[in-house]
Amino acid sequence: MRLLIDILDLAWRRKITRFSGTLFSLLFLSVIYGNVLAAIAKPKHTRYGLGIDQKFIGGVPHSIPNYCISIIAPDDGGRTSSERPNLYAYVYKYQNLRTSSKSNLGIDFRIKESQSFSRSVFRGQETIAEVGLYKMILPVANPALLNGKIQRWSMAVIDEWGEIYPAYAYIQRESNLDLEREVKGENMLLGKARIYAKYFYWYDAFDAYNQWLEVNPTDQIARRERAKLLQESRRSQCINYRYISSAKLLELIDAKSAKPIAFTQKKQM
């Protein structure tokens, strides 16, 4: 901007008319130069999400009576630097009159090839004994997330009545050398969590905060930072049907550590 002012001032004081072509060239170059500097200064990402506008991310339709699955992810998707990140979801039982003596629930977990309803590149099935927060651990033997591509992951609960309760979200694995360099130079999990949050890598930040709080449950600062991470990226839980509010979800997450589901078999469909 200062360069542009100086050029205009020079043209006015010297009444340079015969060099108008040069003047306009200089003006053009100054604008281009300014735009290049602005592009360099602008961060690649300015928010956690991927900009995907989907109505039903993170929950189940209101017509399903028994369970709510809250996918722990930004409403419009999020980034990860990991080939096989840990993914989280909360299974919540809605209080109603339908009961059964059977307590175990089936979990069907899938990762799709793309953000559309494409083929599954990974599928795992397990049984859980209770509702609560779960961490899905992807086996090393299975395919890694595709670098640079937005993929869709989903989790479904199959209850004692055989009804399926699905929820899904989006994830994009994206390499970042600056992020990797900073994370490698940081020894503490809390420090890594803050680096991931700084670079807007939501999945990695949430997982690092969770792991830190499992070992340091009295760290209220880290707990507030994780709560802020969740609140900034989620408008609501279970798609606005009031089965579980954002505040209630935070309360439930804080109550108990996540129960791991370590998928062991490679299944494709």
Side-chain angles (χ1 to χ4, degrees):
M1 181 58 72
R2 182 61 190 173
L3 176 63
L4 180 58
I5 293 172
D6 291 341
I7 292 171
L8 290 173
D9 182 63
L10 179 65
W12 175 259
R13 286 187 290 104
R14 297 185 180 182
K15 302 186 184 314
I16 301 176
T17 56
R18 58 195 180 92
F19 297 116
S20 59
T22 302
L23 173 63
F24 283 112
S25 296
L26 289 171
L27 288 172
F28 177 76
L29 288 173
S30 68
V31 172
I32 295 297
Y33 178 71
N35 289 339
V36 170
L37 287 179
I40 293 173
K42 184 178 179 181
K44 188 175 182 181
H45 299 299
T46 57
R47 58 194 297 251
Y48 287 112
L50 303 176
I52 299 172
D53 184 16
Q54 295 287 336
K55 184 178 180 182
F56 296 116
I57 291 178
V60 294
H62 70 288
S63 59
I64 294 177
N66 289 340
Y67 291 92
C68 161
I69 305 168
S70 181
I71 293 287
I72 312 298
D75 283 331
D76 55 348
R79 281 173 288 277
T80 179
S81 60
S82 174
E83 294 183 349
R84 298 171 184 84
N86 294 326
L87 303 173
Y88 293 80
Y90 196 96
V91 180
Y92 177 79
K93 181 172 175 58
Y94 184 59
Q95 299 300 318
N96 54 67
L97 298 177
R98 294 186 67 178
T99 59
S100 170
S101 58
K102 183 179 178 181
S103 59
N104 288 348
L105 301 171
I107 291 291
D108 187 278
F109 175 85
R110 305 187 192 204
I111 296 179
K112 295 286 187 176
E113 187 176 41
S114 68
Q115 65 188 79
S116 63
F117 290 86
S118 57
R119 73 182 186 94
S120 297
V121 294
F122 173 75
R123 182 181 182 185
Q125 293 179 326
E126 296 291 340
T127 300
I128 61 174
E130 59 180 335
V131 298
L133 181 66
Y134 283 91
K135 175 170 67 175
M136 274 61 70
I137 301 173
L138 306 181
V140 177
N142 284 269
L145 292 181
L146 303 173
N147 194 31
K149 189 170 186 178
I150 298 176
Q151 294 180 257
R152 182 177 184 265
W153 68 278
S154 66
M155 178 175 168
V157 171
I158 306 171
D159 73 358
E160 58 267 33
W161 304 95
E163 296 184 24
I164 299 176
Y165 306 86
Y168 58 88
Y170 298 95
I171 188 168
Q172 182 180 33
R173 177 185 158 210
E174 188 173 285
S175 300
N176 187 314
L177 294 178
D178 292 332
L179 167 71
E180 293 169 9
R181 190 180 302 111
E182 286 193 38
V183 168
K184 188 176 181 180
E186 174 60 56
N187 294 322
M188 294 178 61
L189 264 174
L190 181 58
K192 294 179 188 292
R194 288 167 175 165
I195 293 170
Y196 286 130
K198 181 179 75 171
Y199 281 89
F200 303 103
Y201 276 64
W202 196 95
Y203 285 103
D204 302 331
F206 187 82
D207 181 44
Y209 273 120
N210 264 12
Q211 291 189 51
W212 171 262
L213 287 169
E214 285 177 3
V215 182
N216 304 275
T218 60
D219 188 342
Q220 296 305 315
I221 294 177
R223 200 169 293 281
R224 285 194 295 270
E225 289 176 4
R226 187 189 59 174
K228 187 171 182 281
L229 183 75
L230 188 66
Q231 290 165 338
E232 285 183 351
S233 57
R234 296 297 304 271
R235 294 184 295 271
S236 62
Q237 307 301 328
C238 292
I239 48 175
N240 288 328
Y241 288 115
R242 295 183 296 177
Y243 284 179
I244 179 172
S245 66
S246 295
K248 181 64 176 177
L249 179 65
L250 278 168
E251 181 184 324
L252 293 170
I253 289 175
D254 284 341
K256 287 185 179 181
S257 297
K259 294 175 280 292
I261 300 178
F263 296 107
T264 56
Q265 289 183 300
K266 179 180 178 181
K267 297 180 181 179
Q268 294 182 350
M269 184 175 178

